[in-house]
């Protein structure tokens, strides 16, 4: 929770100051608003590119951990490591291809974020707590979870509507 709070605060700060600086002219990625030809802007773009380059494949740890055991059953023991590397390469190239093929990627990311973030962060935990507590769920917990679910559902609906409208 602490790391997620820190990351959320950093995202909020970048969004706030980016909007404060560029207003309505802000683009889907703040780096696209940086001036071309300035040394500091070029350094920022380079550092962001390096950070993405060195950390992007790490994001596939969980999907690879889920898919790899099923893949390993079809592969000989001698080729397990090669198969895992090919799976990682395939996933990176798949997301790269999708990013290149989707014309308005920022709007698609907005739609996916509004659907999945509100579901995973707000709606699902509220439902899971109610279901797991069952008969032991107090009235206060039920009201709290219904409010959290309603807030998440509102975010889901409004975020999806804005994404589809744009």
């Amino acid at each position: 929770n602490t790391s997620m709070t820190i990351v959320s605060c950093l995202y909020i700060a970048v969004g706030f100051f980016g909007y404060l600086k560029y207003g309505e002219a802000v683009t889907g990625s703040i780096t696209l608003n940086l001036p071309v030809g300035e040394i500091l802007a070029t350094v920022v773009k380079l550092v962001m590119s390096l950070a993405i380059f060195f950390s992007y494949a790490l994001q596939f740890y969980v999907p690879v951990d889920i898919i790899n055991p099923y893949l390993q059953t079809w592969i000989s023991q001698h080729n397990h490591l090669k198969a895992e590397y090919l799976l990682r390469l395939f996933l990176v190239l798949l997301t790269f291809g999708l990013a290149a093929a989707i014309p308005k990627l920022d709007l698609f990311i907005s739609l996916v974020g509004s659907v999945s973030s509100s579901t995973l962060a707000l709606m699902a935990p509220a439902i899971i707590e109610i279901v797991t507590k069952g008969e032991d769920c107090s009235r206060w917990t039920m009201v709290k979870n219904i409010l959290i679910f309603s807030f998440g559902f509102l975010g889901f609906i409004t975020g999806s509507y804005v994404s589809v409208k744009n």
Side-chain angles (χ1 to χ4, degrees):
N1 283 343
T2 304
S3 60
M4 191 63 186
T5 302
I6 292 170
V7 169
S8 296
C9 289
L10 287 173
Y11 275 123
I12 290 169
V14 168
F16 174 76
F17 288 116
Y19 191 77
L20 191 66
K21 168 73 174 152
Y22 299 107
E24 291 293 325
V26 72
T27 57
S29 174
I30 193 70
T31 56
L32 296 175
N33 284 101
L34 296 176
V36 178
E38 283 191 20
I39 293 174
L40 183 59
T42 305
V43 169
V44 167
K45 290 177 185 178
L46 178 67
V47 169
M48 296 232 357
S49 298
L50 288 173
I52 292 168
F53 178 76
F54 286 117
S55 66
Y56 187 70
L58 292 174
Q59 297 175 28
F60 292 106
Y61 178 80
V62 173
V64 168
D65 204 36
I66 292 170
I67 298 170
N68 199 35
Y70 297 107
L71 183 66
Q72 300 298 330
T73 60
W74 300 97
I75 309 286
S76 69
Q77 181 71 30
H78 177 64
N79 293 323
H80 277 197
L81 188 60
K82 291 177 190 173
E84 182 178 343
Y85 288 156
L86 284 173
L87 175 62
R88 290 179 186 275
L89 178 65
F90 171 75
L91 290 174
V92 168
L93 291 177
L94 175 70
T95 56
F96 174 76
L98 288 173
I102 298 173
K104 300 263 186 189
L105 185 62
D106 56 337
L107 297 178
F108 182 72
I109 290 173
S110 173
L111 177 63
V112 170
S114 68
V115 170
S116 62
S117 295
S118 59
T119 303
L120 290 174
L122 297 170
M123 295 191 296
I127 292 172
I128 290 169
E129 185 177 23
I130 291 171
V131 169
T132 55
K133 286 192 174 182
E135 296 293 324
D136 297 332
C137 190
S138 69
R139 178 171 264 159
W140 162 246
T141 303
M142 185 69 79
V143 169
K144 175 194 71 148
N145 285 331
I146 289 172
L147 287 174
I148 291 172
F149 179 86
S150 301
F151 182 69
F153 190 72
L154 179 68
F156 168 79
I157 294 297
T158 55
S160 299
Y161 174 76
V162 169
S163 296
V164 170
K165 184 180 175 190
N166 289 335

